[in-house]
């Protein structure tokens, strides 16, 4: 006897089998694609390393705390950049002294690779002479992995919210011991220097674009002014200066202050981002004032009427309109 319900059920199963069969026709996927923790950590380490680091904060507070002069740290800025693309494990590094980009003191190449047997990231370091280098040249003259053995090797291991680097022997090209986290990189006597003040504490910097207007026009006034723009400044003590048409040298400085102390009794002093206005008169630096705000802000400005300065991470020309 013909069974209509049976025919309906059979047709329904065939209809389901069609798309299900197509779904099953793709390539088989396996679950055995997991990396090792070391391979993942190497990727994180590369992201943290490839930044600008400066110990301006440490230098300032060495004086403010009152450390003896022979224990105060020199100011150093270290720039690490990838060579060969955003995922490259080949990097170039440069070190500048005193916040002066003409004072290139060290340069070289780094490569990162996972060492699964050690459960650590292997960093090979090559030092190179700086005499023939353009200080601000991209890549510090590094275009490929250097030939020959590295000058030293550092092994990085993961700890709570940080990486610890330990040199395999002496490492004058980098540092014998290192710590690296989201916001800071600490180096024990970088470049082999024996410093009585101990570890160099460098902060990761954010790059900002800035301009200076003279005078600082505001309120919609129809007044002529001169703009000095395309000033690239980082927020860990970075600065820029211009020479105005009247001969004055005017500068700005950004400092994302990481307070190691409190500036009043019985209060907790919170970190701030500060924008300073400076004037360079001979060998002296005159401060005309400053403004401060939250350390995570992405734009900051000051208007002293005779001049105006504005720094930002995203230009008003490209930001998408919003309510």
């Amino acid at each position: 006897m013909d069974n209509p319900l049976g025919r309906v059920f059979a047709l329904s199963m065939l209809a389901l089998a069609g798309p299900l069969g197509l779904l099953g026709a793709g390539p088989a996927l396996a679950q055995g694609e997991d990396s090792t923790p070391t391979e993942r950590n190497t990727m994180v380490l590369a992201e943290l390393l490839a930044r600008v680091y400066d110990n301006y904060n440490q230098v300032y507070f060495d004086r403010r705390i009152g450390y003896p002069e022979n224990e105060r740290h020199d100011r150093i800025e270290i720039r690490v950049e990838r060579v060969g693309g955003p995922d490259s494990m080949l990097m170039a590094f440069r070190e500048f002294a005193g916040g002066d980009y003409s004072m290139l003191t060290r340069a070289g190449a780094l490569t990162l690779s996972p060492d699964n047997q050690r459960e650590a990231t292997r960093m090979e370091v090559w030092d190179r002479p700086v005499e023939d280098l353009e200080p601000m040249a991209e890549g510090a003259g590094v275009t490929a992995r250097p030939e020959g053995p590295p000058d030293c090797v550092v092994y990085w291991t993961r700890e709570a919210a940080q990486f610890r680097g330990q040199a395999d022997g002496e490492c004058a090209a980098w540092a014998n011991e290192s710590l690296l986290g989201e916001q800071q990189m600490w180096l024990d006597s970088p470049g082999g220097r024996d410093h009585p003040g101990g570890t160099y504490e460098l902060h990761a910097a954010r790059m900002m674009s800035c301009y200076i207007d003279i005078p600082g026009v505001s309120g919609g006034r129809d007044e002529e002014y001169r703009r000095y723009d395309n000033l690239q400044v980082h927020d860990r003590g970075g600065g820029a200066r211009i020479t105005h048409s009247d001969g004055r040298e005017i500068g700005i400085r950004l400092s994302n202050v990481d307070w190691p102390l409190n500036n009043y009794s019985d209060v907790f002093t919170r970190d701030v981002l500060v924008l300073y206005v400076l004037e360079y008169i001979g060998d002296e630096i005159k401060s005309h004032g400053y403004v401060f705000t939250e350390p995570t802000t992405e734009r900051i400005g000051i208007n002293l009427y005779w001049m105006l300065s504005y720094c930002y991470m995203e230009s008003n020309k490209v930001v998408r309109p919003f309510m």
Side-chain angles (χ1 to χ4, degrees), residues 201-276:
E201 301 174 7
L202 298 97
H203 283 77
R206 301 178 304 166
M207 296 303 300
M208 287 190 167
S209 297
C210 304
Y211 62 75
I212 295 173
D213 288 348
I214 299 179
V217 177
S218 66
R221 300 196 311 273
D222 185 12
E223 183 178 346
E224 290 186 0
Y225 64 95
R226 175 77 179 272
R227 172 162 295 180
Y228 304 86
D229 57 5
N230 298 318
L231 306 175
Q232 301 302 308
V233 183
H234 70 70
D235 70 345
R236 294 293 183 176
R241 68 171 78 178
I242 58 93
T243 301
H244 187 42
S245 57
D246 62 6
R248 287 184 300 165
E249 282 193 84
I250 305 299
I252 56 173
R253 177 177 296 144
L254 285 170
S255 178
N256 208 321
V257 182
D258 179 12
W259 286 88
L261 47 80
N262 295 321
N263 62 347
Y264 289 102
S265 299
D266 301 321
V267 300
F268 180 76
T269 303
R270 288 179 284 181
D271 297 343
V272 290
L273 174 64
V274 187
L275 171 60
Y276 298 89

Side-chain angles (χ1 to χ4, degrees), residues 16 137 140 142 169 183 185 210 216 219 251 257 264 267 272 274 283 287 313:
L16 286 171
V142 177
Q183 296 295 328
M185 178 168 66
C210 304
V257 182
Y264 289 102
V267 300
V272 290
V274 187
D283 295 331
S287 177
M313 297 185 69

